[in-house]
Amino acid sequence: MSNESGLRIDRYYKQLLKKHGDELNIFDSTSLNDYGMCPRKFFFQHELKIIPRGPEHAPLTLGKAVHSFIEAYTLSHDLSNAVDAYEREVELKKADLTVEKKAGGLITMMRYIDEYFDAYGEDGEFPPLVIDGEPMVEKGFAIDVGGGVLWGRIDRIARDDEDPDGYVVLDHKHTSGKITNQKKLYYVISNQMTNYMLATYELFGKPPTKAVVDLIRVTDEEPSRESKTGSQFVRLFVYRSEEELMLRKRELRFQIAVIQEARNYGICGFPKSAPSSCFVWYRPCEYLPLCMAQVDDLVTLVENLYEKNTWVPYSSPEDDQTREG
């Protein structure tokens, strides 16, 4: 660090920077969104790479399980395979889910999925592209945007039924709350969708005609029978021009450069967005105890209240390239 502060947390951070090296120049939509929302949260979660000890949040586990169900069903069209994938995901994670919650989540999710397929068909009107015998489902990408790498996984890349030469990016989202107009807009303007469209642009050499967000409500409430898609499912269409995608690429390059410069200043390069970002998603931020602590106690709290997140994006760039989908 060019601006030594003498703080113990900065010395701790400096050692991590040396240890992780280029790995810290790999970003995904979540980490960049966290940085935009609160640089200090980004610092704890993605620079120090720590997560709270204890169970994973139940909505996060259930969301991953829903994705596993849809992926398995898309590839096999076998309901038993999809149920097995859901149960494996639930058991794999550390969420503190009761037996009733696990079963209830599966039952309600399957009910909504059944209605979803009834409304849109087994492939949701957009069957996955197949390239060299491989369906473009849950495909990873890694693109160099200049100064750093943007990586991620796209739920599905599919043919556009309205344009034989076009293709679409399809993403599944789940929510437990009501699907309001505000929630719809959240996904329409999402940088994540722009990132996915940029990645497929890099892959195919031309922009996708659109992105499709299938928003599924998973709840214990009885579904409305007035409309198959009115309250439980919403299909959103997202459009980005080629100019917008190129603008996003420049934005990513700038944001990554800002993060890299911030590293020279230690923890003060990542200021708190307090209190506006301390209670998003209707709960306290998981790093709030650190933000409320004395600076001298930070390393002790980091080592005792949190654990290292050992998960990495991919084992090597060659394993998960944009060119592979």
Side-chain angles (χ1 to χ4, degrees):
M1 298 175 189
S2 61
N3 295 274
E4 296 289 351
S5 68
L7 293 176
R8 185 182 173 201
I9 187 66
D10 279 348
R11 295 195 298 271
Y12 180 86
Y13 177 43
K14 186 175 182 179
Q15 292 175 346
L16 290 179
L17 288 175
K18 291 181 178 179
K19 178 179 179 182
H20 292 291
D22 290 341
E23 182 185 325
L24 288 175
N25 290 321
I26 301 173
F27 304 87
D28 66 357
S29 296
T30 298
S31 64
L32 293 174
N33 184 65
D34 286 342
Y35 179 82
M37 181 176 64
C38 179
R40 185 61 57 85
K41 177 180 179 178
F42 174 88
F43 175 79
F44 290 134
Q45 185 167 350
H46 304 288
E47 295 289 293
L48 299 191
K49 295 185 176 295
I50 57 172
I51 55 176
R53 296 186 186 275
E56 185 176 78
H57 289 295
L60 181 58
T61 296
L62 289 175
K64 294 175 182 176
V66 168
H67 273 77
S68 295
F69 180 99
I70 295 174
E71 177 188 3
Y73 191 87
T74 300
L75 293 174
S76 68
H77 287 180
D78 186 317
L79 187 60
S80 63
N81 284 348
V83 172
D84 288 344
Y86 173 94
E87 292 180 340
R88 282 196 303 271
E89 188 69 42
V90 168
E91 295 302 324
L92 179 66
K93 303 303 175 185
K94 300 184 297 180
D96 187 15
L97 295 174
T98 64
V99 173
E100 292 77 15
K101 187 67 176 178
K102 293 177 184 177
L106 179 58
I107 291 171
T108 56
M109 189 270 297
M110 287 179 61
R111 180 178 63 201
Y112 300 150
I113 291 295
D114 180 62
E115 293 185 21
Y116 174 83
F117 288 145
D118 187 36
Y120 295 125
E122 288 188 336
D123 286 321
E125 296 181 345
F126 294 105
L129 275 172
V130 178
I131 298 179
D132 296 330
E134 182 181 8
M136 298 290 102
V137 176
E138 286 289 330
K139 302 310 297 179
F141 66 84
I143 58 174
D144 187 350
V145 296
V149 172
L150 174 70
W151 86 276
R153 287 190 181 277
I154 299 172
D155 288 349
R156 185 187 306 179
I157 303 175
R159 286 286 182 202
D160 188 344
D161 57 349
E162 298 178 349
D163 182 352
D165 296 323
Y167 62 94
V168 302
V169 172
L170 190 144
D171 198 54
H172 298 103
K173 299 294 185 185
H174 90 287
T175 179
S176 59
K178 293 182 179 179
I179 302 176
T180 63
N181 287 334
Q182 181 177 346
K183 187 163 290 185
K184 295 176 190 177
L185 182 60
Y186 175 90
Y187 291 108
V188 169
I189 66 174
S190 168
N191 278 334
Q192 182 185 55
M193 299 311 302
T194 312
N195 293 343
Y196 288 173
M197 297 176 80
L198 171 62
T200 51
Y201 179 24
E202 296 284 324
L203 172 64
F204 290 100
K206 62 178 182 178
T209 55
K210 57 180 170 282
V212 178
V213 178
D214 283 338
L215 183 56
I216 305 169
R217 187 183 182 203
V218 180
T219 173
D220 292 333
E221 297 177 10
E222 283 296 317
S224 170
R225 298 298 177 180
E226 298 177 358
S227 170
K228 291 185 181 298
T229 61
S231 62
Q232 307 305 334
F233 311 109
V234 171
R235 169 161 281 177
L236 306 171
F237 295 96
V238 179
Y239 299 92
R240 303 284 191 270
S241 67
E242 183 175 3
E243 290 76 14
E244 288 177 291
L245 296 181
M246 290 298 94
L247 175 62
R248 179 58 185 159
K249 190 172 184 178
R250 294 194 295 272
E251 290 173 349
L252 289 165
R253 185 180 301 127
F254 173 79
Q255 190 172 19
I256 289 172
V258 170
I259 292 171
Q260 291 168 338
E261 175 64 18
R263 290 170 179 163
N264 293 321
Y265 296 85
I267 190 172
C268 69
F270 302 88
K272 304 173 188 176
S273 295
S276 58
S277 298
C278 298
F279 300 94
V280 295
W281 304 116
Y282 311 106
R283 58 179 173 82
C285 172
E286 53 267 48
Y287 301 99
L288 188 60
L290 297 178
C291 288
M292 296 181 66
Q294 297 292 324
V295 175
D296 291 344
D297 297 331
L298 279 180
V299 174
T300 300
L301 292 175
V302 163
E303 293 176 339
N304 287 278
L305 297 182
Y306 297 82
E307 61 186 6
K308 288 292 183 181
N309 183 7
T310 56
W311 178 86
V312 294
Y314 43 77
S315 56
S316 68
E318 291 76 20
D319 292 339
D320 214 352
Q321 289 289 331
T322 301
R323 295 184 182 277
E324 296 177 0

